Every structure is written in C-alpha cells, then in structure tokens.
C-alpha cells in the first residue's frame, strides 16, 4: 500500500475517456509534476477526502425503488462525485466571498454558488431548511454540528413528495425528509 | 438517542472536504449545514436520475453514472471523475491510429 491518496488509485489505467479526449498520464498537468508538495495540498488520507460510503449508499438507496441494486463501483463513484460536488460549490462560494472582501463563507454564498452552477432548483428547499435551522439554533443556543436539523412536519409536508419520518428526542423534532422530485433542470 | 436511520452526513467530514479547497479560510455553521443538505439532495438526485436513464432499471451501474455525466450540462464538472470506460485493447487501437495519423 503506497497510500499516496492519489485518485488514480481508485480507477486503474484501463479506465479512460471515450470519445474525443483521453486521460493520458504523461501530460498530466493537473497533478503538478513539479513540486506539488510545496503547496499545502492537504495531505488528506483517502478516507478523509470522501464521505463515508455507508452514508452515501444509504442516501442513494432511499431514492431508488426498494428492489433496486447499486453496484459497488457505482457507490464508490458517487462517493467521489460528492466530494467533487462539495469542492465545486465551495470554490465558487469562496470566490464570491473574496470578491466581496469577506473571509467567512456563509449560507448565502453557498446558495448563490448553487444557483450559479446550475443547481438553482435546490435553492428553494435549501432556503427553507436554512430558515428552520436558524430558528432552531436561536431557540436552543447550541449548534450541534454533528446532527442535521431537519424540517418539522408542517413545512416538510408542504414540500415533500417523499417520505417523512419523525423522531422526538428531548423535545427536539428530527424530521427526516426525503426529497423525491427531479433535481436536474431541463437543459437546452 | 435517535437512530440516525436515514440521511445524515457527518458534517465534520463535509467541513474537511470544504477546507481542502484553496483559499478557503473559514466556513460558517450555516454554510456547513447548507452544504451538507445540498450534498444529500445531490446524492439522491444523482442516484434517481442515473437509474431512470439506465437501460436496466433494477440495477444502478457505474456506466449509468458515466453516461449522465456526459449528457447533463450541470454535471460536466464530473466528467474527469467518471470517465467512460473503454477496454485497454480499444485504447491501444486508438493509440495506433493516432500514431499513424501523426506520421
């Protein structure tokens, strides 16, 4: 195990782009052949660069019919896509922040980034989630960063076409809300 | 303790990934929460949409993901992450052709 954390370890050399462009190792500018180590290129272990595959797989399973199966390489693939998605949104949001001479990325920056990058159909549901989060954060004066505060019943029902499960714990409602409708805008 | 039966993602890990982007100094809790939620929606959409486009609707395969990444413009940023797979021998054939056309 060389543990270099290189993404090319996950996809071996026989996986190459079809069509007009190919991924060719020798012209690999993106990996920065010279002195890549000089950048603080976050020496993240592979497991830190991705969200846990169990969580990812669980979420995937919720969106497909129960009888559906997901291939292992599809799960791994989504796991990588998700990290890329997060980075993609973050760098867009970060750029906006810099343009406005701010140092901290806030919720609005993320929403704006999503809209800019073509995920504007996520913005409305996210705004509602954010609103509820703010309200619950004010009420509790704790920010529990490990669990996500979900929409309460009344709001979720007006939005969702999917399932809602609610658990009460310590007077706090966690409503898990599954967003079923199509996510991708029509592309012309 | 609520069982986290469903779709929670570890926000600490989301934060780690966000911070690995260049020039990111700090991230508000709200930004973190929003990103986590957005990620969840993204996973759901990706899975659902790929399966719908797939020829075999009972099983989601790598190739289904590779396909939609090439057809949906919002997913273009994933094209390098999910290249379509070709067999090595087909690649060699393409290389040969290239060499021949360069001569």
């Amino acid at each position: 195990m060389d543990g270099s954390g290189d993404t090319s370890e996950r996809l071996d050399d026989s996986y190459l782009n079809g069509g007009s462009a190919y991924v060719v190792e020798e012209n690999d500018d993106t990996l920065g052949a010279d002195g890549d180590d000089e950048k603080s290129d976050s020496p993240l272990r592979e497991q830190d660069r991705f969200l846990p595959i169990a969580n990812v797989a669980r979420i995937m399973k919720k969106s497909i019919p129960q009888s559906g199966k997901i291939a292992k390489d599809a799960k791994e693939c989504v796991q990588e896509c998700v990290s890329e998605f997060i980075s993609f949104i973050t760098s867009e949001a970060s750029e906006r922040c810099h343009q406005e001479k701010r140092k901290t990325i806030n919720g609005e920056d993320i929403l704006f980034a999503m809209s800019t990058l073509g995920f504007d159909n996520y913005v409305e549901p996210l705004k509602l989630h954010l609103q509820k989060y703010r309200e619950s954060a004010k009420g509790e004066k704790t920010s529990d960063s490990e669990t996500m505060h979900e929409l309460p019943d009344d709001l979720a029902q007006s939005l969702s076409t999917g399932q809602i499960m609610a658990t009460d714990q310590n007077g706090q409602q966690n409503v898990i809300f599954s967003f079923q409708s199509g996510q991708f805008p029509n592309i012309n | 303790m609520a069982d986290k039966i469903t779709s929670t993602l570890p926000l600490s890990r989301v934060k780690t990934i966000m911070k690995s982007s260049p020039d990111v100094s700090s991230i508000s809790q709200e930004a973190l929460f929003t990103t986590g939620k957005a990620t969840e929606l993204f996973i759901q959409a990706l899975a659902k949409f790929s399966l719908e486009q797939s020829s075999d609707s009972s099983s989601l395969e790598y190739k289904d993901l590779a396909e939609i990444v090439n057809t949906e413009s919002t997913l273009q940023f994933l094209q390098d992450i999910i290249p379509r797979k070709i067999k090595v021998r087909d690649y060699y054939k393409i290389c040969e052709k290239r060499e021949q056309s360069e001569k």
Side-chain angles (χ1 to χ4, degrees):
Chain A
M1 290 282 227
D2 55 35
S4 65
D6 195 338
T7 48
S8 64
E9 280 180 344
R10 289 173 74 89
L11 305 172
D12 80 53
D13 288 346
S14 58
Y15 298 163
L16 296 160
N17 278 328
S20 53
Y22 302 102
V23 178
V24 179
E25 293 283 87
E26 66 241 34
N27 289 335
D28 217 332
D29 293 322
T30 55
L31 288 184
D34 342 272
D36 198 20
D37 301 338
E38 289 174 337
K39 290 186 189 177
S40 58
D41 214 339
S42 15
L44 292 175
R45 297 171 301 165
E46 203 169 273
Q47 58 261 47
D48 291 339
R49 286 190 298 138
F50 303 127
L51 295 176
I53 197 164
N55 299 57
V56 170
R58 209 180 301 135
I59 299 173
M60 287 175 77
K61 286 212 171 97
K62 277 177 35 172
S63 346
I64 64 173
Q66 246 194 341
S67 54
K69 293 185 212 121
I70 308 173
K72 181 164 186 263
D73 57 356
K75 288 181 199 171
E76 287 172 354
C77 175
V78 170
Q79 195 189 19
E80 293 182 24
C81 290
V82 158
S83 294
E84 191 65 21
F85 173 78
I86 294 172
S87 299
F88 192 47
I89 301 291
T90 306
S91 41
E92 186 67 29
S94 173
E95 215 177 279
R96 182 169 189 240
C97 243
H98 279 293
Q99 278 171 10
E100 300 189 354
K101 307 255 186 346
R102 285 181 285 114
K103 286 192 182 156
T104 306
I105 300 177
N106 61 31
E108 296 300 320
D109 295 324
I110 301 292
L111 292 175
F112 186 80
M114 305 221 54
S115 184
T116 307
L117 297 171
F119 297 99
D120 45 307
N121 52 341
Y122 290 29
V123 172
E124 285 310 315
L126 290 176
K127 274 188 188 165
L128 286 158
H129 279 280
L130 188 54
Q131 187 186 344
K132 279 295 145 189
Y133 172 80
R134 283 172 178 161
E135 285 169 15
S136 70
K138 270 185 209 163
E140 293 164 7
K141 288 192 180 164
T142 52
S143 44
D144 181 5
S145 59
E146 286 306 307
T147 52
M148 300 177 67
H149 298 270
E150 307 291 346
L151 292 178
D153 269 337
D154 53 349
L155 210 47
Q157 269 163 21
S158 63
L159 275 185
S160 85
T161 54
Q163 304 157 10
I164 308 170
M165 294 190 281
T167 33
D168 269 311
Q169 51 162 1
N170 303 327
Q172 177 189 356
Q173 235 178 355
N174 287 339
V175 178
I176 314 304
F177 150 74
S178 163
F179 199 80
Q180 295 287 335
S181 55
Q183 294 295 311
F184 294 111
N186 291 323
I187 310 299
N188 288 322
Chain B
M1 259 322 237
D3 324 51
K4 296 186 188 155
I5 308 166
T6 47
S7 49
T8 52
L9 294 168
L11 290 184
S12 54
R13 190 73 64 82
V14 173
K15 189 172 189 182
T16 305
I17 298 169
M18 290 176 86
K19 289 205 130 180
S20 70
S21 274
D23 300 328
V24 168
S25 37
S26 50
I27 303 164
S28 74
Q29 275 298 104
E30 281 187 359
L32 185 56
F33 172 80
T34 307
T35 305
K37 202 68 205 147
T39 304
E40 209 179 291
L41 296 178
F42 180 71
I43 296 172
Q44 289 177 350
L46 199 56
K48 185 161 188 277
F49 197 65
S50 312
L51 194 61
E52 280 171 9
Q53 300 293 309
S54 162
S55 47
D56 174 8
S57 59
S58 62
S59 171
L60 182 58
E61 306 279 336
Y62 176 93
K63 62 173 164 56
D64 303 320
L65 294 162
E67 201 53 42
I68 58 158
V69 151
N70 283 285
T71 51
E72 281 292 316
S73 65
T74 46
L75 301 181
Q76 265 176 16
F77 71 99
L78 293 173
Q79 275 171 358
D80 287 338
I81 308 277
I82 330 183
R84 284 189 178 112
K85 294 183 200 176
I86 64 174
K87 293 202 167 71
V88 177
R89 63 167 171 268
D90 294 336
Y91 171 68
Y92 287 149
K93 282 183 200 159
I94 294 165
C95 278
E96 272 171 33
K97 275 189 203 161
R98 242 200 217 166
E99 279 166 22
Q100 280 162 14
S101 62
E102 278 167 11
K103 282 175 186 166

